[in-house]
Amino acid sequence: MRQDGRVTDRDAVSAGPAGLFDLASMRKQYRADGLLEDELAATPVEQFAAWFRQAATEGGLFEPNAVVVSTADAEGRPSSRTVLLKHFDEQGFVFYTNYDSRKGRDLDANPHVSLLFPWHPMARQVIVTGVARRTGRDETAAYFRTRPHGSQLGAWASVQSSVVAGREALDSAYAELAARYPEGEQVPVPPHWGGFRVVPRTVEFWQGRENRLHDRLRYVAESDGEWRVERLSP
C-alpha cells in the first residue's frame, strides 16, 4: 500500500482470496492537468496529430498506432479487434485488412464503425465514430509495396477469420508462397486484401483527471463541413 493509503495493483493481487485479483480495489489516480476547449486545434485531425505525436515520442507505448476497431454485422451483432492505423489526414483514418475477414464482411454490410486509441500510459483515449469505405486499388497497392516481404506473403497465406485445421496448415501455406515468391521477387497484391478509410462523424478526446472527473471534448461534423465542439460529462 502507498504511504498515502491508496491501494496499489500489487496490493490488489495479494489481497484477493486464494491469490485471485481483487478487481474492486484496482484503480489509478489520474493526472491533475486536463484538456480545455481553448486548447483544441481547429479540426479533430489536427488535434489527433498533436496527441499522436506525443503518444509516439513521449507516451511509452509499444504501438501507438494500435487501434481497436468495432463493427457490427447486418443483424447488429458487435465485434472488436485491434489493428494498426496506417494513415490519417483530413479525409479520414486508414487501416488495411483482408476484405473476407469478419470485420471486412461486417463493414460491407454495415459501414458504421468505431475506432478507439487506448493510450493508457498517458491517461488518454481518442474515440472516432464514422463510416468506412474501401480505399482505391492504387492506394492499396502503393501501401502493399511498403510492407515487408513476409507480411506480403502473409496476406496471401491467411484466410482471415476462417477456421483452420492447425498451425501446420498455416505454416505450410506460407512456405509454399515463400517458394513461389522468394525474397526480391514482387508479390502481387491479393484481390481480397485492401484498405478501409474511416470518414469521421465524431472524434472524442478523453483525458483522465483526478476523482474520475475526466475531460471529454468531442468534435461533431456539421452539414456545412465545419466542426462543433461539445463537452461531455464524465
Side-chain angles (χ1 to χ4, degrees), residues 86-161:
K86 288 302 176 180
H87 181 74
F88 69 90
D89 57 23
E90 293 293 343
Q91 307 308 311
F93 299 81
V94 178
F95 65 90
Y96 292 85
T97 188
N98 186 316
Y99 286 141
D100 294 331
S101 65
R102 178 173 180 175
K103 60 182 168 298
R105 296 193 305 270
D106 281 358
L107 290 173
D108 283 344
N110 175 9
H112 296 280
V113 62
S114 173
L115 308 178
L116 168 64
F117 295 87
W119 295 332
H120 301 308
M122 306 177 71
R124 286 178 173 176
Q125 301 178 68
V126 180
I127 304 102
V128 179
T129 65
V131 173
R133 296 284 184 260
R134 292 189 181 192
T135 59
R137 294 311 292 173
D138 288 345
E139 184 176 357
T140 290
Y143 169 69
F144 188 79
R145 296 285 171 245
T146 71
R147 287 165 61 92
H149 182 73
S151 296
Q152 293 180 4
L153 297 179
W156 280 100
S158 172
V159 185
Q160 200 173 71
S161 301

Side-chain angles (χ1 to χ4, degrees), residues 213-232:
L213 297 177
H214 312 305
D215 285 324
R216 300 177 59 191
L217 298 182
R218 182 170 65 184
Y219 292 80
V220 180
E222 302 276 37
S223 58
D224 61 0
E226 298 297 315
W227 293 94
R228 180 180 81 253
V229 174
E230 54 192 17
R231 177 174 285 270
L232 303 177

